[in-house]
Amino acid sequence: WSFTTSNTADTTPPRVTSSTPANGTKNVNVNANLSLTFSEAVTPYEFDVRVSPALPNGTTTWSNSGKTVTFELDWALWEDTQYAVAVLPGGVRDLAGNSNTEVFTAVFSTGSTTGTGSFAGTLGGDPTSSFADDPTGAFVIAAYPFPFETNDFGVWGNDVAAVNDSYDIRNLPDGIFYPVAALNTNGDYEINPEKGDAVGAYGANLALGDFEPDSVEVTGGNRTLNVDFP
């Protein structure tokens, strides 16, 4: 075996560069496999990709010098169904230990359409914190079930809070979703409230000990506004 040394440390986080099926693809063959390609090789030992609805069992294979992962499924996908693929910050790491810092989502459908539902609102910062007083750059996800109650939740869509603290999540199928936001305030590029990162949930005020969230229901592709929370 051999190795090569360098006087330059790798501090660049990995990111998803493409997916198959690509975001927005319709009429996907139910026998298709799913693959993700990253900007650099990532370790298969710390790897969290969320697919909603859950995929059938299958085999995971790596190629492209460790940059591409393919899920070869044992059974077919559901017919006329919208799927969402998500990689949250800290979901993957490169060989130097850098974790991804961005949320990646891709939506595809085995039917002829994708969802037209959406919800939008604003985030409120924490005025008592110099790190979380401005929610600009926080990511917001449409999750189900509620993430604070289980780690086994799906991410159906996402957006990043703009400079006016607004967000807008689109292309949602009919269903119930919990709006949740998070901001990496401690600079480690991972989301972990136990280490000081700011989090929030629609209908809840975590600072006051209120952990009971509200949900947003999408029916008939409707749009819901004023989904605001701190």
Side-chain angles (χ1 to χ4, degrees), residues 112-168:
S112 59
T113 61
T114 54
T116 58
S118 63
F119 63 81
T122 59
L123 299 181
D126 181 357
T128 67
S129 168
S130 60
F131 296 98
D133 57 335
D134 181 7
T136 300
F139 73 82
V140 190
I141 61 174
Y144 186 85
F146 185 50
F148 296 173
E149 296 178 348
T150 175
N151 190 48
D152 187 21
F153 62 90
V155 178
W156 295 85
N158 79 285
D159 195 19
V160 176
V163 292
N164 63 353
D165 303 336
S166 66
Y167 73 91
D168 191 348

Side-chain angles (χ1 to χ4, degrees), residues 76-98:
L77 300 170
W78 293 351
E79 295 183 354
D80 198 22
T81 299
Q82 177 168 314
Y83 285 84
V85 183
V87 183
L88 297 178
V92 298
R93 293 181 183 272
D94 65 15
L95 303 185
N98 302 303

